Amino acid sequence: MGNTNLNSALKNKNDEFYTQLQDIENELRHYKSHFRNKVVYCNCDDPKVSNFFYYFTHNFEELGLKKLIATCYKNQNVDIFSLHKDVDKAAYLEYTGDKNDNRRPDADEIKVNYLKGDGDFRSEECIELLKTADIVVSNPPFSLFRQYIVQLIKYNKKFLIIGNKNALKYKEVFPLIENSKVWLGMGSVKEFEVPNGNRAKATFCSQRNKWFQKFGNVGWYTNLSHSRRNEELILTKKYTPDEFPHYDNFDAIEVSKVKDIPKNWGGVYGSPYYFHG
């Protein structure tokens, strides 16, 4: 069901899936050392509902951030703290930290700036904002993931983003994985909140009074170092012809799991595209 939901989202360009705060907290705890004195840009985020915006504003001092910027596509309903009155215009928000020592973001501490365009991450205005950022953290549209990650690489940005793990196969993405320019993060994202108007495959949670949709193959992509990235891999398996068959058309053996890499094999081995430690 999870992959069916994702494929349907890609086909129908249905990209409104909101990341839950617990998933953001669970992943971001592995990267806290990267954020000190950095400008973070959330460039696919409606601040009213974005838990990325919530996380960074409420953890601004703990992370030691320099600035947070968030942009939202014009068609989304931005009314953060009732500051953004003109919903016909796209806007970007800036937050530079707590000014009255109450350890939370207040309305007068968040600067709202209107954009001339629609707030699309590919627009010139948003690219100019991107250039000012050190790290991009967001859940970009599934249907635009190829363009999104290519843009981040083009402008040499550090990032932590959510994407379909099938994107590992994309011709734009696989070379980045192959050349250690991008790697998978620590966790997966199993469920997203969906707005009321987008609930064909969603399930209603009466306790939270919200709609949620499950996915089976979504995770984090990043070029920020984390503990698993540098973890020593201890190999215990030994090569045998029966357990590791040779391919008919290529001089390599089949290895389907990380833990099964044979320690005494010095040649090439093949693995599924989702193969990672």
Side-chain angles (χ1 to χ4, degrees):
M1 175 62 74
N3 285 336
T4 301
N5 287 342
L6 184 55
N7 291 334
S8 176
L10 290 169
K11 181 179 180 181
N12 298 318
K13 302 295 188 294
N14 185 0
D15 291 320
E16 286 193 85
F17 300 103
Y18 303 147
T19 313
Q20 296 182 80
L21 183 60
Q22 65 187 24
D23 288 319
I24 296 171
E25 291 174 336
N26 287 340
E27 187 70 20
L28 266 292
R29 65 189 175 90
H30 299 288
Y31 308 87
K32 288 187 175 181
S33 62
H34 293 285
F35 287 93
R36 185 155 300 278
N37 202 34
K38 294 295 192 295
V39 176
V40 172
Y41 185 25
C42 302
N43 59 348
C44 295
D45 294 82
D46 177 345
K48 183 179 180 181
V49 296
S50 170
N51 283 316
F52 287 102
F53 187 82
Y54 181 94
Y55 174 85
F56 283 115
T57 53
H58 285 77
N59 292 277
F60 193 94
E61 282 72 28
E62 179 184 349
L63 293 170
L65 295 179
K66 182 178 181 180
K67 181 191 286 188
L68 172 65
I69 306 171
T71 51
C72 176
Y73 193 68
K74 182 174 68 173
N75 290 341
Q76 293 176 309
N77 180 24
V78 181
D79 190 23
I80 183 73
F81 301 119
S82 299
L83 284 174
H84 187 176
K85 301 295 186 181
D86 192 345
V87 296
D88 290 329
K89 291 185 178 181
Y92 72 93
L93 277 61
E94 295 177 287
Y95 181 69
T96 55
D98 181 31
K99 302 296 188 296
N100 59 10
D101 296 324
N102 66 355
R103 309 294 290 182
R104 66 172 183 266
D106 296 311
D108 59 356
E109 295 170 340
I110 299 174
K111 183 180 180 182
V112 179
N113 309 274
Y114 291 110
L115 295 167
K116 295 179 181 178
D118 59 10
D120 190 305
F121 70 87
R122 298 163 293 184
S123 68
E124 291 185 10
E125 291 175 297
C126 290
I127 290 174
E128 289 304 311
L129 290 172
L130 175 66
K131 291 177 181 178
T132 70
D134 298 301
I135 305 175
V136 176
V137 185
S138 191
N139 174 14
F142 289 134
S143 65
L144 297 175
F145 187 82
R146 300 169 193 257
Q147 297 176 52
Y148 189 85
I149 198 168
V150 166
Q151 184 186 84
L152 295 178
I153 297 299
K154 177 181 178 181
Y155 291 99
N156 195 30
K157 295 302 172 182
K158 295 295 184 181
F159 57 86
L160 179 62
I161 60 175
I162 291 174
N164 173 9
K165 290 183 182 178
N166 289 330
L168 289 165
K169 298 183 294 183
Y170 295 169
K171 62 182 177 65
E172 296 89 351
V173 178
F174 184 78
L176 301 175
I177 300 289
E178 186 179 26
N179 293 299
S180 295
K181 293 184 178 181
V182 177
W183 44 87
L184 293 178
M186 295 290 285
S188 298
V189 184
K190 302 293 186 183
E191 187 179 61
F192 294 89
E193 181 187 343
V194 296
N196 289 339
N198 173 21
R199 58 193 190 194
K201 296 182 180 295
T203 302
F204 183 71
C205 177
S206 57
Q207 291 180 329
R208 291 184 282 179
N209 195 33
K210 293 180 179 179
W211 292 85
F212 295 91
Q213 189 163 325
K214 293 184 180 297
F215 289 85
N217 202 25
V218 175
W220 298 83
Y221 288 80
T222 189
N223 55 4
L224 297 173
S225 179
H226 55 68
S227 60
R228 188 178 296 168
R229 172 91 179 144
N230 302 310
E231 187 176 52
E232 182 180 0
L233 185 61
I234 300 174
L235 304 177
T236 59
K237 284 272 190 177
K238 291 186 177 181
Y239 168 75
T240 64
D242 292 336
E243 190 170 2
F244 299 98
H246 247 80
Y247 293 117
D248 292 333
N249 58 350
F250 193 79
D251 185 16
I253 60 172
E254 167 71 11
V255 179
S256 58
K257 298 179 181 178
V258 173
K259 65 182 181 66
D260 290 340
I261 298 174
K263 63 182 180 180
N264 61 334
W265 176 258
V268 178
Y269 62 84
S271 64
Y273 72 88
Y274 51 80
F275 180 65
H276 63 92

